[in-house]
Amino acid sequence: IAPSGYPRVYASARPAVMRWVPSILPVALQCGRMTTDDHEPLLNVSQALAIVDAVAVRPRTEMRDLMAVIGCRLAEEISADRDYPPFAKALMDGFAVCSADVREPPVDLRITARIAAGQIPNEPVKPGEAMAIMTGAPVPEGADVVIPVENTRAHEPSARVTILRAEKPGQNIARRGSDVAAQCVVLANHQRLGPAQIAVAASVGRQRVLIHVAPRVAVLATGDELAATGGQPGLAQIRNANNPMLIALLQSWGCPTIDLGQVVDDPNLIETRMRSGLQEHQADVLLVSGGMSMGQFDYVPRVINQLGFSTLFTKLAIKPGKPLVFAEGRGTYAGKFIFGLPGNPVSAFVCTVLFTARLVGRMSGAAADAGNSRWITGRISEDLPANGWREFYQPALLGALDFDGLPEIRPLKWKGSADLFTLARADGLLARPANDPAQPRGAVVRLLYLQG
Ligand code: AMP
Ligand code: MG
């Protein structure tokens, strides 16, 4: 599949790009140069993201009660069922009057009625009259201004009120339809539903809405050294930290999750457990961590192929996280995806936050580049050395706002991709471009913000 004139990487049989499928080829071509002079050809982060963004996904939709849609994305457009507000509405407690009557205060007017919110005024306000009105009540015919109660003096026994200050016509009244007119779109398709959007849907009369269903994600850890989470590890063992971490990340993005536990480095056992995730548990996305690189017992990339998945990339120019596999299902597994993550927890975390978030976001109804990530620009708190040839994501703290409104970004000491303890103290990941030169204190840098 390497006609002459294609960049060198397509002609190479190196493992960085194992099998090029037609849907990916155009994206890869747009990515341009994919080799480095002194390293084997590796995709960079944006090239890999372009591949993740180009795979065909099959979003599912479902009608759901408004009380169970927080964080979901809409799969329909929602319009106003009537004008909002549906009537001219008093915005203050006070007196509804004719503005012509109160041009030269103080003015004495006769109180003819009292209108509470929810009542319909049954007669108009005539010149020389006022109606006491409460916030949210319909303004009666004839009145074109509401005088706030603090600008009046009422004389209860005589049912009269003195207006002490004039107001312009229309003041303290929301015109019918002034917030939004009937039939206007109030929530766009694909919009994420937070508390305010849910309130809008409720306002326009929706009790159920059509939403995109987040994909089901199964999580499996591999490694002879892994003890079950909560178990007592032997001397050469470590506890499986990746599954709880990845499941938490996915749950924070609204995905139903399946914990497939951990399995030893045995290709048959790995394959059986992966199949169970994809078939029995009906996972749409499978995350497998560990055994992804070139070690003697790294079987996962082979198993992914045996399952009939097409591998779209196997290695990236990223630190931490170089051995990242992304594969697309074929045949019975069409529409399903596998991320093969590095075993080291910080690497697995970074890869999931960058790449899985993007795919899961799109499968949950988001636009391609609107994943689950938030970038923040800030000023670095100390001199930074030059970065190497891989894009680098380093745990960092977000400090106070600077004089120019940019937050300070404080890098935490990098102790390697196994150091979960530093990651757990971080507010985000400081992103350094490949080959970024040394940066002086105060230089503007980017942070991938990590929410709770
Ligand atoms: P691997 O990618 O299998 O070569 O593993 C790289 C490193 O990550 C090794 O030190 C493993 O012990 C560690 N590791 C692999 N899987 C996990 C896991 N589920 N939880 C914690 N550490 C892990
Ligand atoms: Mg291993």
Side-chain angles (χ1 to χ4, degrees):
I1 62 154
S4 57
Y6 277 22
R8 180 155 63 97
V9 64
Y10 301 114
S12 98
R14 295 182 186 188
V17 180
M18 288 179 73
R19 195 188 314 166
W20 285 94
V21 294
S23 68
I24 297 308
L25 208 51
V27 179
L29 287 172
Q30 281 167 22
C31 292
R33 195 173 124 95
M34 298 165 76
T35 63
T36 59
D37 294 335
D38 37 4
H39 299 282
E40 64 177 307
L42 293 185
L43 299 181
N44 64 32
V45 170
S46 55
Q47 289 167 335
L49 282 175
I51 290 173
V52 172
D53 287 348
V55 293
V57 298
R58 306 170 170 175
R60 284 195 304 271
T61 61
E62 183 180 291
M63 271 312 245
R64 224 182 251 181
D65 190 277
L66 214 47
M67 301 298 181
V69 294
I70 181 75
C72 297
R73 287 185 184 271
L74 273 178
E76 61 169 326
E77 203 173 68
I78 294 187
S79 307
D81 59 327
R82 56 177 180 164
D83 289 336
Y84 286 89
F87 46 80
K89 184 179 82 173
L91 294 175
M92 305 279 275
D93 292 328
F95 291 87
V97 303
C98 317
S99 59
D101 276 356
V102 297
R103 268 191 213 123
E104 285 162 27
V107 181
D108 204 45
L109 300 173
R110 189 166 71 87
I111 303 171
T112 57
R114 255 164 240 287
I115 315 158
Q119 283 183 345
I120 301 170
N122 45 20
E123 53 186 289
V125 172
K126 295 196 268 307
E129 292 179 357
M131 283 188 195
I133 193 163
M134 315 304 145
T135 304
V139 175
E141 292 284 317
D144 62 350
V145 66
V146 169
I147 310 294
V149 72
E150 47 272 42
N151 297 341
T152 66
R153 198 182 311 124
H155 313 282
E156 287 299 333
S158 57
R160 298 193 75 81
V161 61
T162 306
I163 306 297
L164 301 172
R165 256 178 52 191
E167 297 269 3
K168 289 196 207 80
Q171 208 66 21
N172 304 320
I173 298 175
R175 275 180 301 105
R176 174 178 170 163
S178 56
D179 289 345
V180 46
Q183 312 307 326
C184 273
V185 174
V186 289
L187 295 172
N189 196 357
H190 300 286
Q191 192 164 349
R192 197 182 155 93
L193 295 168
Q197 292 75 23
I198 290 172
V200 164
S203 284
V204 301
R206 299 296 301 268
Q207 204 184 349
R208 290 155 68 75
V209 289
L210 190 67
I211 51 116
H212 284 100
V213 179
R216 289 169 66 78
V217 185
V219 177
L220 173 65
T222 70
D224 288 342
E225 74 280 32
L226 297 183
T229 312
Q232 190 54 47
L235 201 59
Q237 280 194 309
I238 55 164
R239 294 191 184 92
N240 174 6
N242 285 351
N243 283 30
M245 173 182 76
L246 298 172
I247 285 172
L249 265 177
L250 288 149
Q251 287 179 349
S252 75
W253 301 327
C255 295
T257 53
I258 303 131
D259 181 6
L260 297 173
Q262 55 283 321
V263 64
V264 291
D265 291 310
D266 172 315
N268 295 324
L269 295 179
I270 294 173
E271 183 174 336
T272 306
R273 199 73 71 88
M274 286 173 72
R275 269 192 208 285
S276 124
L278 294 165
Q279 289 174 358
E280 267 172 68
H281 297 285
Q282 298 182 358
D284 303 301
V285 179
L286 179 56
L287 303 190
V288 189
S289 70
M292 216 55 58
S293 29
M294 301 310 237
Q296 206 180 332
F297 304 113
D298 290 340
Y299 300 114
V300 180
R302 249 173 292 162
V303 174
I304 291 175
N305 283 338
Q306 278 160 22
L307 288 169
F309 277 67
S310 291
T311 299
L312 305 183
F313 56 75
T314 61
K315 269 188 187 177
L316 301 183
I318 181 176
K319 175 184 168 181
K322 193 163 145 227
L324 172 68
V325 176
F326 178 51
E328 184 180 24
R330 298 272 164 235
T332 49
Y333 294 139
K336 296 181 188 273
F337 299 92
I338 297 177
F339 281 98
L341 303 165
N344 265 317
V346 181
S347 311
F349 183 90
V350 168
C351 289
T352 305
V353 163
L354 286 176
F355 299 99
T356 313
R358 198 80 159 210
L359 179 75
V360 158
R362 203 150 62 88
M363 293 174 90
S364 313
D369 57 355
N372 292 300
S373 43
R374 297 263 179 285
W375 287 94
I376 291 176
T377 306
R379 291 193 185 280
I380 197 73
S381 62
E382 58 189 67
D383 292 349
L384 287 178
N387 186 32
W389 61 279
R390 291 186 281 165
E391 205 164 303
F392 181 29
Y393 290 82
Q394 179 177 0
L397 293 172
L398 200 55
L401 291 188
D402 212 343
F403 62 93
D404 58 0
L406 287 180
E408 186 188 57
I409 292 175
R410 271 182 274 144
L412 291 166
K413 194 167 155 30
W414 173 252
K415 292 192 225 153
S417 53
D419 182 17
L420 264 180
F421 304 100
T422 298
L423 180 67
R425 289 195 290 126
D427 292 317
L429 299 165
L430 163 65
R432 300 285 311 275
N435 303 312
D436 191 26
Q439 298 291 337
R441 175 168 183 257
V444 173
V445 292
R446 291 200 320 148
L447 179 99
L448 180 60
Y449 183 64
L450 304 169
Q451 273 131 323

